[in-house]
């Protein structure tokens, strides 16, 4: 019999909250987590705002020495993982740790550490570069540190596929449990890209909104006046668990993860294929594995970046796959409120998808004042919606043309 | 040169995040102060910076206790 995989724990670090309760409440209220950057001087930058996490209290839960040896993206992952383990009420002493893995994706890794050390290298020479640079910077270190913290000795690696990293990580974790390589995996994605260097590159390629005067209105997926995405930071983590193991310990089950579709555009390094072929294939593949038909789907948590091209292509792909049913679906963009977490996006948005399936509540897409031409789906404008959600999809697309789609459904008995 | 010991001790407390009372002459960096090779390298970089010296790798490998580091510095700084 095929092994089934369920979601039994959730954890987040976000500009809208450092725990699931605050995070989901704020999303349902339609609150923006975007503001002017205060962590460093932004006066010379073209884009001066982001969904920045102010005063992250890492040392409230972890020791100072660990703080000094970890980049911000790893700290977010540790925090979200600890929250998820607590939420799942895992008894670490009873767990077979050889069958417990950690797969946390990241697009950029420790870019902040890299920038700091690069300045030391240029100004002071090779002797000034910290030996901790490499172990702090490499994007797999979130998975590494989380496994060290919990003693998990099962499959452990990082998935990197830019803005789809978090979704690919969860998809790969799902497959590893399905295949029997692991019984439980802490999986998700983490990112801390709010640095001068990173903002400059994204701004210079024209990917970011430059609405400095109204940061909270800058992320406006599917809107006529959208002009780029808003950089975000944070982490989303889920505990995926083999159904039998979850049932045995009477775990709370948020939903069942039942499909994962991956594809490539094979088209351009930053622009999506304008025919939406890659996005279409990822969704179609996820439905196929989930043994769901398009009409089973009630809700899509869209990639919805607020860039001109992404939103257009994604809506086109949804219409092609779902036909008439596309107009009956709820489609929203979490990025309208928490910005784009890059490698963390697919993961934190998967957390949102699980919460919506569990609570039958779908948060609004904010700032959608004037839907653009052809943007005529139900994007949950203005306020949250209560609706029975049986099954849902979560889309993520990354630079390089990587596409991932995850399918979940309500858990209904063994 | 008791000041030198105090100076090095303060640096160790700050860099290795250990309570001051654990930093004795005999304290072994790895066994007593919970440091690993990365911590020791980082600490010695700070020492180099503070005293304007450059401890060669072959010397650094021998400096496994607080006392040995302080004695080494005494000699090095006395000479230079």
């Amino acid at each position: 019999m095929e092994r089934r995989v369920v979601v039994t724990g959730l954890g987040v670090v976000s500009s809208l909250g450092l725990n699931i309760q605050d995070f989901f409440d704020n999303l349902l209220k339609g609150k923006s987590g975007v503001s002017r950057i205060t962590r460093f001087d932004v006066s010379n930058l073209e884009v001066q705002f982001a969904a920045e996490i102010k005063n992250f209290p890492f040392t409230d839960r972890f020791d100072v020495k660990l703080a000094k040896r970890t980049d911000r993206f790893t700290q977010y992952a540790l925090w979200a993982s600890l929250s998820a383990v607590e939420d799942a009420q895992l008894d670490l002493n009873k767990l077979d740790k050889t069958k417990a893995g950690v797969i946390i994706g990241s697009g950029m890794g420790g870019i902040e550490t890299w920038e700091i050390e690069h300045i030391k290298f240029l100004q002071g020479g090779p002797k000034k570069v910290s030996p901790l640079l490499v172990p702090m910077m490499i994007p797999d270190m979130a998975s590494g540190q989380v496994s060290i913290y919990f003693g998990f000795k099962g499959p452990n690696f990082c998935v990197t596929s830019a803005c789809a990293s978090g979704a690919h990580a969860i998809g790969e974790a799902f497959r590893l449990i399905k295949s029997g390589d692991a019984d439980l995996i802490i999986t998700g994605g983490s990112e801390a890209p709010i640095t001068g260097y990173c903002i400059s590159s994204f701004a210079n390629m024209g990917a970011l909104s430059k609405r400095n005067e109204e940061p909270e209105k800058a992320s406006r997926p599917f809107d006529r006046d959208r002009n780029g995405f808003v950089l975000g930071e944070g982490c989303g983590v889920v505990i995926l668990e083999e159904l039998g193991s979850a049932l045995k310990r009477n775990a709370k089950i948020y939903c069942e993860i039942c499909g994962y579709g991956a594809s490539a555009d094979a088209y351009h390094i930053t622009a999506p294929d304008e025919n939406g072929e890659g996005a279409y294939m990822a969704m179609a593949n996820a439905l196929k594995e989930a043994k769901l038909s398009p009409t089973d789907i009630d809700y899509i948590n869209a990639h919805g970046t607020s860039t001109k091209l992404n939103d257009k292509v994604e809506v086109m792909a949804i219409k092609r796959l779902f036909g008439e049913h596309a107009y009956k679906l709820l489609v929203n963009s979490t990025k309208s409120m928490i910005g784009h977490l890059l490698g963390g996006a697919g993961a934190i948005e998967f957390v949102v998808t699980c919460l919506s399936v569990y609570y039958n509540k779908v948060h609004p897409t904010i700032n959608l004042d004037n839907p653009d031409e052809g943007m005529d789906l139900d994007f949950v404008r203005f306020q949250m919606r209560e609706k029975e959600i049986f099954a849902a999809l979560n889309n993520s697309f990354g630079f390089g043309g990587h596409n991932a789609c995850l399918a979940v459904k309500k858990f209904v008995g063994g | 040169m008791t000041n030198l010991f105090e100076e090095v001790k303060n640096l160790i407390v700050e860099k290795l995040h250990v309570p001051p009372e654990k930093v004795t002459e005999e304290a072994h960096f790895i066994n007593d102060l919970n440091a690993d090779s990365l911590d020791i390298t980082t600490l010695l970089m700070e020492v180099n910076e503070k005293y304007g010296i450059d401890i060669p790798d072959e010397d650094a490998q021998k400096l496994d206790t607080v006392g040995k580091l302080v004695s080494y510095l005494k000699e090095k700084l006395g000479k230079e």
Side-chain angles (χ1 to χ4, degrees), chain A residues 302-370:
Chain A
H303 190 53
T305 58
S306 181
T307 61
K308 283 281 176 207
L309 268 180
N310 172 85
D311 296 0
K312 186 178 155 207
V313 167
E314 187 171 11
V315 168
M316 194 195 301
I318 290 171
K319 285 182 181 175
R320 185 179 151 206
L321 181 62
F322 289 89
E324 270 307 300
H325 187 68
Y327 298 91
K328 294 176 187 151
L329 295 166
L330 298 185
V331 179
N332 66 4
S333 166
T334 308
K335 293 182 182 78
S336 65
M337 288 175 271
I338 60 166
H340 193 343
L341 270 62
L342 310 181
I348 203 162
E349 291 159 18
F350 182 75
V351 169
V352 172
T353 308
C354 294
L355 286 165
S356 291
V357 171
Y358 189 65
Y359 290 111
N360 297 310
K361 288 178 179 175
V362 179
H363 73 65
T365 303
I366 70 165
N367 296 322
L368 183 40
D369 299 331
N370 301 292

Side-chain angles (χ1 to χ4, degrees), chain A residues 11-24 26-27 31 33 53 56 79 233-235 338 348:
Chain A
V12 290
V13 171
S14 146
S15 62
L16 282 185
L18 303 177
N19 63 71
I20 290 293
Q21 193 72 46
D22 290 350
F23 172 68
F24 199 49
N26 284 328
L27 286 176
K31 208 173 145 185
I53 296 165
F56 178 57
W79 182 288
E233 63 176 340
C235 178
I338 60 166
I348 203 162

Side-chain angles (χ1 to χ4, degrees), chain B residues 11-79:
Chain B
L11 203 58
I12 291 171
V13 168
E14 189 198 328
K15 291 295 155 192
L16 302 184
H17 306 286
V18 285
E21 60 272 18
K22 287 189 80 176
V23 187
T24 59
E25 293 254 1
E26 299 74 35
H28 190 276
F29 288 118
I30 293 171
N31 300 336
D32 301 318
L33 301 180
N34 198 28
D36 62 16
S37 63
L38 297 169
D39 291 317
I40 297 171
T41 310
T42 309
L43 175 68
L44 294 183
M45 283 170 72
E46 292 291 328
V47 169
N48 284 339
E49 174 89 28
K50 189 173 170 75
Y51 297 105
I53 56 173
D54 185 6
I55 304 173
D57 287 350
E58 54 272 28
D59 291 351
Q61 282 164 18
K62 294 172 197 151
L63 305 176
D64 54 2
T65 66
V66 176
K68 283 185 196 171
L69 174 60
V70 173
S71 305
Y72 179 85
L73 286 177
K74 269 183 196 167
E75 197 187 320
K76 189 106 176 163
L77 298 173
K79 264 194 231 163

